[in-house]
Amino acid sequence: MSPRRRTFTLLIALAVIALMTLPWAVFTSRADLTFGPHEAQYRITADSRLTVDFGPLGRLLVPADDSIPLGLGLHVDIGEIPVSGDDRDEERPAADPAKVKDPGGGAVDALGGDIASYAALFSSPQAQIDQVVEGLTREILIRWALAVCLITGGLVGVGIVLGPQRLDGLMRAFAGKELIGIALVIVLVLAGLGTVVLKRPHPIVADPAFEGTPLAGSQVTGRLGGIIDTAFTAVRDFADDNDAFYDQVLTTLRTQWNDRPITGNWSDRGMVPPAETGRQGSAKGSGDSDEAVTTFVFGSDIHCNIGMARVVGAVSELSGADAYIDGGDITMTGTSAENYCLDVLDDELPEKLPRMIVKGNHDSQETTRHARSRGWEVLEDSTAEMAGVTFFGSPDPRRTVFGSGPQLETDLTADQYAQRLRDEACETDFDIMLIHDAAVAAPTLRAGCADYALSGHWHRRVGPETFGSGVRYLSSTTGGALANALTPGPLKMNAELSIIRVDNATKRPIDVQIVTVTPDQEVRIEPWVRFPEPLPLVSQPPEEEPAE
């Protein structure tokens, strides 16, 4: 047999193997992801429906003809809810009851937290869809490639055992019969798919409880049917209230944006921008001023408030921000199910906007791993450049988990960790320090090893103010996270977001403008506040730090 003929036959064989193994890879792949607050396993079916299996409670059957192509379906096996939440937060300074709305009391209601998670799934389903598509696609491709490689490797091994002469004899025997082989394979594949299709279950009997909702046409089976009306009504009401609240906030924000204060020094050289250049929030279009500053949007302690994630995205877009930086606590306890909190914020931010995060005590290493997989710059005892400014930061050494409070994730105590961070900062060249807890950054500022530090964690704004020989600024909670109350949903205390301008020549923060959202759906955009200059080592820190 000629080399050309042999090559053609091998290519046909590979195509046949790939064709035969693709359906197997599609219908046997499993992706371990999340569904609302639950761990969940996803697999593809051929029944044109989304099946959410709650085990002994029953199943939720949702028609998927319009959302999943080729008559395929999706089966979700619901697992347990990972440990999450915290019924106390000793690290958080108490909020002033006079400044919050309906502070409530007691521990966070676990059932209420689950309802909030389901409402987040209803309000921003795209993040969950992207997660499922990515997870299943990855598993299918891995399984398909593995099957092709194993079968091809097996055939190569057989060829080596048989030897060239016997192999040529076999190939001559099948020469000219490639079309017959291909037809046979197609018949087998179609027969297998036909068997799957013929085993499709009975049509869905729509439940009247879902009429006029996103689940219209769905059916509930088993004991789940006895509680679905109440549960779904609670989730729907929560989602509706949440969407209505933040729809109004965004409308107010956009209405007030053009009238916001635009005064303030545009650079360390005292340049003041013309009034008309402030309409889009940056110096773009103001002559040589367009490269004088870099604009950052800075948030911290969102605690999975996906409604405020919408506000963060809107402010980032309206301000013409060059990057978004997050001071940590983007989740509530950092379980894998809470990766969804970061996904929603990531989707709300303008596309291709650079973004950076440092781990907070309510996040986990899983949170930052997931952020890195989504393209975020993660500070972990490292420096990173963002929009021309070099940041230095390190993850919070603690992990706050339900039932046990803060636990150290390092071999060092919090004080030892802060001292080690100071030593690293003194040997590192950077412009701005980004750290979750200002107390961890305090030794570095006192030692004169950082000129500027940005933090969160205390859930109240501090500064910008001189501290040690440097300057610190603490953002209040961007999620409106009130102690001992659910964060997702309409606000229970003020939420704040910061717009920080940095001089491109000196790499120093110039000023900050605060955007505040209140529980009464008011939006306040405050005048620019100037950052003070770093000082020689003459300023003394406060005798007593705020409670940590």
Side-chain angles (χ1 to χ4, degrees):
M1 182 180 297
S2 67
R4 182 177 180 182
R5 187 73 173 177
R6 183 182 291 113
T7 301
F8 179 72
T9 303
L10 289 175
L11 291 176
I12 291 296
L14 283 174
V16 169
I17 293 171
L19 184 62
M20 292 181 64
T21 55
L22 178 58
W24 173 82
V26 169
F27 291 109
T28 61
S29 293
R30 304 288 187 270
D32 293 318
L33 302 169
T34 61
F35 183 88
H38 298 269
E39 294 177 343
Q41 185 179 83
Y42 291 77
R43 58 186 172 88
I44 294 177
T45 62
D47 55 9
S48 296
R49 63 179 59 174
L50 167 64
T51 302
V52 184
D53 192 341
F54 289 89
L57 288 178
R59 296 180 176 185
L60 172 65
L61 309 177
V62 184
D65 306 77
D66 298 332
S67 55
I68 303 179
L70 304 176
L72 298 177
L74 190 65
H75 188 102
V76 188
D77 288 309
I78 301 299
E80 63 182 11
I81 299 177
V83 173
S84 61
D86 189 11
D87 60 357
R88 65 183 186 275
D89 191 348
E90 300 171 353
E91 304 162 328
R92 185 177 303 173
D96 184 352
K99 297 182 180 180
V100 300
K101 180 179 179 180
D102 188 23
V108 173
D109 186 348
L111 179 60
D114 296 344
I115 291 175
S117 296
Y118 278 116
L121 180 63
F122 275 70
S123 298
S124 300
Q126 191 58 48
Q128 183 79 45
I129 293 171
D130 292 343
Q131 183 188 78
V132 173
V133 170
E134 179 183 350
L136 279 174
T137 300
R138 181 175 60 251
E139 293 298 323
I140 289 170
L141 291 176
I142 291 174
R143 188 172 286 252
W144 190 23
L146 183 62
V148 171
C149 290
L150 287 176
I151 295 175
T152 303
L155 293 177
V156 170
V158 170
I160 293 174
V161 172
L162 292 176
Q165 292 183 349
R166 292 182 180 178
L167 185 60
D168 281 345
L170 288 174
M171 295 182 73
R172 289 193 190 95
F174 288 100
K177 301 177 182 177
E178 292 91 345
L179 293 178
I180 297 176
I182 293 173
L184 180 60
V185 168
I186 292 176
V187 169
L188 291 174
V189 171
L190 291 178
L193 293 176
T195 301
V196 173
V197 171
L198 289 175
K199 291 183 178 180
R200 289 160 73 96
H202 296 295
I204 294 175
V205 179
D207 190 324
F210 297 128
E211 289 298 328
T213 74
L215 293 180
S218 301
Q219 177 185 359
V220 178
T221 67
R223 294 183 178 180
L224 189 63
I227 61 173
I228 192 62
D229 289 352
T230 302
F232 182 75
T233 298
V235 171
R236 182 180 59 189
D237 290 347
F238 188 100
D240 289 346
D241 291 344
N242 186 71
D243 291 344
F245 183 92
Y246 289 103
D247 285 345
Q248 180 59 49
V249 167
L250 290 171
T251 298
T252 304
L253 171 67
R254 293 189 171 95
T255 299
Q256 295 185 3
W257 186 258
N258 287 342
D259 296 324
R260 74 195 186 286
I262 61 171
T263 57
N265 290 321
W266 198 249
S267 75
D268 281 351
R269 296 176 294 281
M271 299 168 60
V272 179
E276 63 270 14
T277 66
R279 292 300 179 187
Q280 296 302 320
S282 68
K284 296 355 180 225
S286 56
D288 60 359
S289 295
D290 62 347
E291 296 187 5
V293 300
T294 294
T295 302
F296 294 96
V297 171
F298 174 46
S300 185
D301 300 271
I302 295 178
H303 287 286
C304 206
N305 189 334
I306 65 169
M308 279 305 299
R310 297 171 61 190
V311 178
V312 173
V315 171
S316 298
E317 181 179 2
L318 291 168
S319 65
D322 296 291
Y324 171 74
I325 50 179
D326 195 286
D329 278 4
I330 206 167
T331 69
M332 290 180 283
T333 54
T335 60
S336 58
E338 291 177 278
N339 287 341
Y340 183 81
C341 309
L342 184 136
D343 291 342
V344 173
L345 176 60
D346 188 64
D347 289 343
E348 293 292 345
L349 289 171
E351 188 177 2
K352 297 183 180 179
L353 181 73
R355 51 209 73 184
M356 173 184 288
I357 189 172
V358 66
K359 173 190 170 298
N361 63 298
H362 283 271
D363 301 322
S364 67
Q365 295 177 6
E366 164 63 21
T367 306
T368 51
R369 279 195 300 268
H370 184 68
R372 188 178 289 106
S373 73
R374 298 276 300 202
W376 290 58
E377 192 72 55
V378 178
L379 290 177
E380 294 179 328
D381 295 322
S382 61
T383 60
E385 184 176 301
M386 186 65 59
V389 178
T390 302
F391 289 86
F392 169 77
S394 187
D396 194 281
R398 298 155 296 186
R399 170 86 184 279
T400 301
V401 295
F402 176 74
S404 58
Q407 298 178 351
L408 289 175
E409 291 190 307
T410 71
D411 295 331
L412 304 175
T413 66
D415 289 340
Q416 291 171 333
Y417 188 85
Q419 298 298 325
R420 192 201 76 181
L421 190 65
R422 177 202 62 190
D423 295 340
E424 292 178 357
C426 291
E427 299 176 356
T428 305
D429 184 22
F430 61 93
D431 302 312
I432 299 174
M433 186 177 191
L434 178 62
I435 199 75
H436 178 62
D437 184 0
V440 178
T444 302
L445 289 169
R446 290 194 189 100
C449 296
D451 289 335
Y452 297 91
L454 304 178
S455 303
H457 185 62
W458 293 357
H459 289 215
R460 62 184 178 86
R461 190 196 326 162
V462 176
E465 65 179 14
T466 55
F467 185 91
S469 66
V471 177
R472 69 179 182 182
Y473 173 68
L474 280 74
S475 168
S476 185
T477 165
T478 304
L482 176 65
N484 300 322
L486 284 172
T487 301
L491 293 173
K492 301 172 183 64
M493 67 175 287
N494 288 354
E496 292 187 358
L497 189 63
S498 306
I499 305 172
I500 299 175
R501 300 189 296 200
V502 176
D503 188 295
N504 285 343
T506 63
K507 306 300 182 184
R508 292 181 172 184
I510 306 164
D511 46 18
V512 58
Q513 186 171 59
I514 311 300
V515 179
T516 302
V517 182
T518 74
D520 295 320
Q521 298 174 294
E522 296 179 0
V523 177
R524 297 195 299 266
I525 306 177
E526 301 179 13
W528 292 92
V529 176
R530 178 87 175 184
F531 272 79
E533 295 285 342
L535 299 174
L537 287 171
V538 293
S539 297
Q540 296 298 319
E543 293 183 3
E544 295 184 1
E545 289 283 357
E548 299 172 13

